[in-house]
Amino acid sequence: MRRSLPEPTSERIPNLAPMVDVVMVILVFFLLGASLELATEGVLQTELDPRSGPGEGAPVEIIPAVKIALAEADGGQACNIYVMGAPLPGNTFDDLARFLSQRRAAGADTQNPLIIAAQPAVRWRFVVKAMDVAVRSGFSNVQFAVSLGGGTPVKP
Amino acid sequence: MLFRPPKPVGMTLNLAPMVDVMMCLIVFFLLASRLVDAQHRPLNLPYARAAREVGRGELGPLVINVRPAADDALRAEYVVQGWDGRRIVEQALPADQIARYLQARADVARARGAPLRCVIRADEQVAYGHVEVVLRGCGLARIANVVFGARAGEEPKERT
């Protein structure tokens, strides 16, 4: 009896479909992860006074439209708000927004600098909040009072 | 003449080139996200509704991250990017080096005639005094264009 040899089988290719599935899922994960993080970060703009800089020691005289001062309270968990040297009635950022809206309605020039001065121990979030309120109230020229001392003023 | 129909052949899609391309994309994202992490360490940025949303590419090359020190929340670390010859690395600067660093960056930018913007990304819990160190350095280096990093949007109610 004569046996015929089996026909040569075609080239064997591994099944790549599951691997493609997994790789696709990883790819989508990276794509979404990257874009989600992007969407939430923003910036607040300020311009430093061009008269600042070398020649330090010479204070810069600015006549601000509004001056906001922040003082530390509650061990850094809160802050006291002063406007034009006087405590702000209510002492909240909503009250500050109302005050700034009134100033604007009364004819304050919103192109004039609005100065924010904060004690060194005030938390940064309160400073940004004051700046946020000022910008939303229409005062676009927000500047910061910076002490002339060197080094880290909070804790050396 | 007798025609014999051809034997049916199983057709398979050749997925190998597609896998190659996808692997390249994954490697790209892996490496890119590592670089981005070095540049944008996770910080609890403060919320600001007025913040203008920006992409990472818009921030520019001069970014100073101010975050609370790991061992003492009253101290701060100033983290900047540096180039060690092979890759972007994070570099922690002491407070008294900030002014010198900013001056050097400003000098380089002026020599190239390029505008320079300083991005200050400060954690919401750091004290203003630490950010003031950077602002003072910008003033001394005559970097007028300064922006602050913030999370765009409304602060969650439970935090206010």
Side-chain angles (χ1 to χ4, degrees), chain A residues 7 41-42 45 53 122 132 149, chain B residues 7 50 72 121 128 136 139 145 150:
Chain A
E7 286 184 8
E41 185 159 343
Q45 176 85 38
V122 171
D132 186 33
Chain B
K7 284 186 180 176
D72 184 356
R121 298 177 74 246
Y128 171 68
R136 190 183 302 117
N145 191 351

Side-chain angles (χ1 to χ4, degrees), chain A residues 50-137:
Chain A
R51 290 169 293 175
S52 63
E56 60 266 35
V60 177
E61 287 289 333
I62 296 174
I63 302 168
V66 179
K67 184 172 180 185
I68 300 169
L70 304 174
E72 185 205 10
D74 263 353
Q77 298 308 307
C79 73
N80 294 323
I81 307 169
Y82 297 81
V83 282
M84 309 307 276
L88 177 73
N91 199 37
T92 67
F93 287 99
D94 289 336
D95 296 313
L96 179 62
R98 268 190 290 277
F99 173 84
L100 293 176
S101 299
Q102 287 166 5
R103 291 284 297 194
R104 195 180 171 193
D109 184 359
T110 55
Q111 297 305 308
N112 261 4
L114 180 147
I115 304 285
I116 297 176
Q119 284 184 346
V122 171
R123 293 285 181 269
W124 177 239
R125 60 181 283 221
F126 297 123
V127 181
V128 169
K129 205 158 187 168
M131 184 178 184
D132 186 33
V133 167
V135 172
R136 284 192 286 117
S137 302

Side-chain angles (χ1 to χ4, degrees), chain B residues 3 14-17 23 26 35 39 43 50 56 67-68 72 83 100 105-106 111 116 123 125 131-133 139 147 157:
Chain B
F3 281 103
N14 187 6
L15 293 175
M23 278 298 198
I26 285 183
L35 284 177
Q39 188 171 354
L43 284 171
R56 282 175 177 150
R67 64 182 183 212
D72 184 356
W83 180 255
R100 195 178 304 168
R105 296 295 300 260
L116 186 62
D123 192 285
Q125 289 302 323
V131 181
E132 199 179 28
V133 170
V147 297
K157 278 292 173 203

